[in-house]
Amino acid sequence: GFPLTGVTLSLAIFLVGSAEATLESNPQDCISIADFDEDTDYFPAKFVPHNTTDLFEISYHKTYKVITNKFQDKSYLLYMCGTPPPADEIASGKHHLVLPVPHKGGIAITQTPQIAPPEMLGKRREITAYIGNPKYVSSPCLDYMADVEKSLQIIYFPEDPSNSTLIDAATAEYMQENPDAIIFAGPTGDRAERDRHMAFAASQERTAVATFDWIGVYSALFNLEGFANKIVAETEERYDCSARNAAALTADLPEEKKKTVLWAQWFDLSYLGVDHGWSVASCPTWDSAYNCEFAHHCGADIISRPEGLGTSYTWGSDTLYWYLTDEEFLEVGKDADLWIYPSKTYLDVYAKKKELMDQFKAVQDEEVYDTQGKGEHAWHEQRLAEYDVVALDMCALVGNENPNPPIHQRRWFRNVYAEAVGFLSECNAPSEIDEPYVPAEAECSPLVANLLGDPAETSASIVPSGSMPIFVSFVVGGFFATTWF
């Protein structure tokens, strides 16, 4: 098994009793020549993607593993440090990067969504450079590493931020000083083609569960698949817990009584000389996108842009991005019970479009929420490490959370009329830097208890999937109560 806290896994322990040596966990140090055994599986802990994860896979081959990024058609061969690299695989030339693991040469990140997974694995120290504008970094510990310790190099030129010549030269200098480092590329652009770059496409997955699943790719770099499996299982259990609660609360709820959610924001495309710019969720199925998934998860209805309505752009990718005019948007979203505006620009847009937006029921009722519950930019960083908490937030917004104490405190969705922009707690440096990131408010109390369990226990982790609960719910003096049998 794996420890409940920390990521320091035991070194490989060889068990006697078979012709083939067996390891308890993936080694955290190189294998010595004296201990090498070609018949040993050096990766006993393997990561298997969730069934909704579309864009990566990992195959295991005793002394090496291959990560395939299907979105960008790139593969990466990771071989156990100290073992002979697989000559035929390397000679084939089909792998963009060949790397010994566990990786200890440092990483440079190029996008903030790449921050949370290494933090969750306790590998902040491996992040040695950030290529981009540091104002978008929300992690308090990375800010500390950059500003106080100076252990995190920032490659950014504020006087000329788009100068690729300056950026490339500084990046090349970083690689010369850190020859074993690798650079994380995003899902678009040409970085994925460059030497010593590894591309991540988590943001292109359909669902929040699948996006989170890319922690498995990060874990494979550090031989921490066992720890990633534990994180994924515990997060998914909390996520399933809130879904079970919402299902219990909405089982007999008429469709017309369900909350209707508008998920939309304005993009200023006036520089194109057009009059459209409203981006609205597109949810032909519940798993079309993460916002569709969250609404379905919590028993709410989400307004979906009618197929073909609006004007589309590709912005240089294979994806169509649709935008509505004010008139189209009003017709689609005016009757929604609440509006989630996934940006920091709501009040600015309202100042320009007050007459239009005042016609929306959600605006009239002051039921508009943006995503600044933990600051301006954390939604695109830490939020990706805690989709289970976002689900709890959504269920709370639509009234389908466990109404019994402890009551979940919203973390991500902020009422733009009544609540201030939030912030993340300071980094407890230096000790916290070496600890795994653990999301706050990551606790779900099951409304439906397991038939065979102890009703007094409330931790989501004690409710096995597939349990068959029997329960009766009733209201006493306005308080929702549940009795288990």
Side-chain angles (χ1 to χ4, degrees):
F2 298 90
L4 294 179
T5 59
V7 296
T8 304
L9 306 180
S10 60
L11 291 177
I13 299 177
F14 288 84
L15 303 180
V16 181
S18 66
E20 180 179 309
T22 303
L23 304 186
E24 283 190 339
S25 59
N26 297 0
Q28 290 300 290
D29 282 311
C30 292
I31 302 300
S32 69
I33 295 177
D35 290 332
F36 172 64
D37 178 0
E38 65 180 7
D39 293 322
T40 295
D41 180 0
Y42 285 96
F43 309 112
K46 298 171 173 58
F47 190 90
V48 179
H50 190 268
N51 57 20
T52 65
T53 301
D54 300 326
L55 301 180
F56 82 87
E57 62 185 17
I58 306 176
S59 61
Y60 291 87
H61 313 268
K62 289 192 173 179
T63 62
Y64 69 96
K65 46 194 167 184
V66 176
I67 298 171
T68 302
N69 175 337
K70 293 189 279 188
F71 183 76
Q72 286 150 295
D73 193 25
K74 289 283 183 290
S75 65
Y76 310 97
L77 188 150
L78 314 178
Y79 66 93
M80 183 63 222
C81 179
T83 68
D88 291 344
E89 282 287 322
I90 295 174
S92 71
K94 60 185 178 182
H95 303 297
H96 182 72
L97 179 66
V98 177
L99 194 71
V101 291
H103 178 65
K104 297 182 179 181
I107 55 179
I109 55 177
T110 58
Q111 298 182 345
T112 56
Q114 299 161 355
I115 294 173
E119 286 197 315
M120 295 189 78
L121 294 167
K123 289 295 180 180
R124 286 188 186 92
R125 292 288 184 194
E126 283 297 320
I127 303 175
T128 54
Y130 174 67
I131 304 173
N133 190 338
K135 80 173 186 178
Y136 295 115
V137 175
S138 296
S139 167
C141 285
L142 256 64
D143 284 341
Y144 180 89
M145 291 166 61
D147 299 337
V148 181
E149 283 190 346
K150 307 298 183 183
S151 59
L152 176 65
Q153 181 178 344
I154 302 297
I155 298 177
Y156 179 68
F157 300 92
E159 69 283 356
D160 196 0
S162 301
N163 190 322
S164 59
T165 301
L166 288 176
I167 296 169
D168 289 347
T171 302
E173 183 177 347
Y174 163 78
M175 292 302 296
Q176 288 175 357
E177 296 173 353
N178 301 271
D180 295 326
I182 58 175
I183 298 175
F184 289 170
T188 59
D190 67 351
R191 278 194 176 275
E193 306 296 331
R194 301 184 189 184
D195 187 37
R196 301 291 295 181
H197 281 61
M198 185 173 181
F200 291 80
S203 62
Q204 305 304 301
E205 294 281 2
R206 293 176 294 117
T207 68
V209 175
T211 298
F212 186 83
D213 222 28
W214 278 71
I215 192 175
V217 178
Y218 293 87
S219 72
L221 278 173
F222 305 112
N223 278 2
L224 290 176
E225 287 96 331
F227 190 50
N229 286 333
K230 177 181 178 296
I231 293 171
V232 166
E234 291 180 350
T235 306
E236 189 173 338
E237 178 52 46
R238 293 190 295 268
Y239 186 66
D240 290 345
C241 167
S242 60
R244 291 192 293 268
N245 288 349
L249 291 166
T250 59
D252 299 319
L253 190 68
E255 187 67 28
E256 63 270 16
K257 294 292 186 180
K258 290 184 177 180
K259 292 282 188 179
T260 303
V261 178
L262 172 64
W263 190 295
Q265 74 178 98
W266 170 260
F267 289 91
D268 187 356
L269 304 181
S270 59
Y271 64 95
L272 297 176
V274 299
D275 62 351
H276 46 255
W278 289 106
S279 174
V280 180
S282 179
C283 301
T285 61
W286 72 266
D287 59 351
S288 296
Y290 75 95
N291 41 21
C292 318
E293 176 189 15
F294 283 133
H296 173 81
H297 178 94
C298 294
D301 291 329
I302 187 168
I303 291 175
S304 178
R305 178 188 57 79
E307 184 176 0
L309 181 66
T311 304
S312 65
Y313 300 84
T314 62
W315 304 122
S317 72
D318 295 329
T319 303
L320 288 178
Y321 297 89
W322 292 84
Y323 303 92
L324 307 185
T325 64
D326 287 354
E327 293 75 17
E328 291 168 336
F329 181 52
L330 178 63
E331 183 63 27
V332 167
K334 63 183 178 181
D335 296 324
D337 295 306
L338 62 92
W339 180 353
I340 294 179
Y341 190 96
S343 175
K344 64 180 183 179
T345 62
Y346 175 82
L347 293 178
D348 291 335
V349 173
Y350 180 77
K352 298 177 182 178
K353 294 180 174 289
K354 182 179 185 299
E355 183 178 351
L356 167 73
M357 294 163 70
D358 277 346
Q359 299 178 64
F360 284 70
K361 179 180 183 294
V363 176
Q364 295 166 8
D365 295 342
E366 296 189 349
E367 286 291 325
V368 181
Y369 300 83
D370 67 14
T371 50
Q372 295 187 89
K374 285 299 167 185
E376 288 187 32
H377 306 297
W379 177 254
H380 300 292
E381 188 178 324
Q382 278 78 10
R383 181 264 306 183
L384 299 172
E386 44 190 273
Y387 73 91
D388 56 322
V389 181
V390 179
L392 288 166
D393 277 14
M394 174 67 86
C395 291
L397 284 184
V398 300
N400 293 333
E401 65 168 340
N402 187 344
N404 298 321
I407 302 299
H408 172 71
Q409 301 298 312
R410 274 187 289 107
R411 178 170 166 84
W412 290 104
F413 297 126
R414 176 193 76 111
N415 187 297
V416 299
Y417 296 105
E419 297 167 349
V421 174
F423 56 89
L424 294 167
S425 300
E426 290 186 3
C427 179
N428 185 21
S431 60
E432 187 180 343
I433 293 175
D434 298 311
E435 297 171 358
Y437 171 75
V438 178
E441 300 297 331
E443 179 181 352
C444 176
S445 300
L447 183 63
V448 182
N450 183 280
L451 176 62
L452 301 178
D454 181 354
E457 296 180 357
T458 58
S459 171
S461 62
I462 66 164
V463 183
S465 59
S467 59
M468 297 296 292
I470 300 176
F471 64 99
V472 175
S473 301
F474 53 96
V475 177
V476 179
F479 184 77
F480 191 98
T482 302
T483 298
W484 292 270
F485 296 91

